Amino acid sequence: MTDSPSARIERVGDDLRDRGFTVDTHGSPRIARDGPTDLTGVDAPLAVASITDSNPLTVISAVAAAAHDGRVPVLVVDQHDYDQVAEILSSPFALAGEQDSLRQFYTVEDRIQLTDDSFACVEGYGPLSWAESGSTESPQLHLTVGEETVAVLDSVAGLACPGPSPAAFRHRYARNEDGRFLVSEGEAVVGDYSGVTAMRADGVRPVPLPLVPEHHVRSNGHLARAVLVATVEDGVVRYTGAQ
């Protein structure tokens, strides 16, 4: 029988106390202090948080929050989520892949707002991916649908506020005064929909934002990479570090 998230947190807290830590009994995350450093290899308190899904943004957000506060993340997960969470945190850390020092990114549900306040979208049903391409010293960021590159940004910095130019994407969409979603190509409106669901049904998708690690883990990267994944089986706690 699988323990509940709260039961797993309690068991991990008990285990850390047995190892010599002082563990706060309230709040989320639970903070463990003044324990030995052999568990993480880092002299810093631990932030013990329950992760209830293996969504990359969920995982990296928890890691980033702990590191920002000067703590080593300890992510307590259900055994069924362990493999996916461990993969996100393994080398290459927080990346979908890496080849010749060029990175492939996970995507998140956040949409890409353009400088004219519209949002980027693409046509087609093929798999969508973000990856760096070109020189490792100044790589471009490519958006691919299936085998076709549909957008190119100068770098991941092009995603930062105020966001990309509308010209960076062939298609974009915005809500008009009547609440309709209008899809544009250049200056021409090429689609008129009641909402995003209708857009998707017609093969037009909002572009998801790539999960760029440094845009989330902005400080204390050494603490983020010292992350531990904790699972509980038959009352026994197992800790695994990023590989």
Side-chain angles (χ1 to χ4, degrees), residues 158-180:
L159 297 168
C161 187
S165 162
F169 296 88
R170 181 176 177 182
H171 295 101
R172 65 191 189 278
Y173 72 97
R175 190 192 298 266
N176 70 4
E177 295 178 353
D178 297 325
R180 304 284 297 181

Side-chain angles (χ1 to χ4, degrees), residues 187-205:
E187 298 301 319
V189 174
V190 295
D192 184 336
Y193 302 96
S194 60
V196 172
T197 299
M199 283 171 51
R200 290 183 184 276
D202 201 28
V204 181
R205 292 176 285 172

Side-chain angles (χ1 to χ4, degrees), residues 5-113:
S6 59
R8 289 194 293 271
I9 283 283
E10 293 297 335
R11 181 66 194 96
V12 172
D14 290 343
D15 182 80
L16 291 173
R17 290 188 192 92
D18 292 343
R19 292 171 181 266
F21 287 88
T22 299
V23 182
D24 293 349
T25 57
H26 302 289
S28 179
R30 302 281 178 92
I31 309 303
R33 297 183 173 88
D34 304 324
T37 60
D38 59 336
L39 191 60
T40 64
V42 178
D43 186 11
L46 313 181
V48 184
S50 178
I51 300 297
T52 56
D53 66 70
S54 57
N55 182 293
L57 182 59
T58 300
V59 174
I60 298 305
S61 293
V63 169
H68 175 77
D69 290 336
R71 300 162 183 159
V72 176
V74 178
L75 308 184
V76 183
V77 305
D78 184 274
Q79 293 180 67
H80 293 97
D81 291 326
Y82 171 80
D83 287 343
Q84 293 92 332
V85 172
E87 181 177 351
I88 294 165
L89 298 173
S90 65
S91 182
F93 182 79
L95 292 172
E98 189 173 41
Q99 185 174 5
D100 299 327
S101 297
L102 295 170
R103 301 177 295 176
Q104 293 96 47
F105 301 100
Y106 293 108
T107 59
V108 301
E109 289 302 312
D110 292 351
R111 298 170 188 176
I112 297 178
Q113 188 168 12

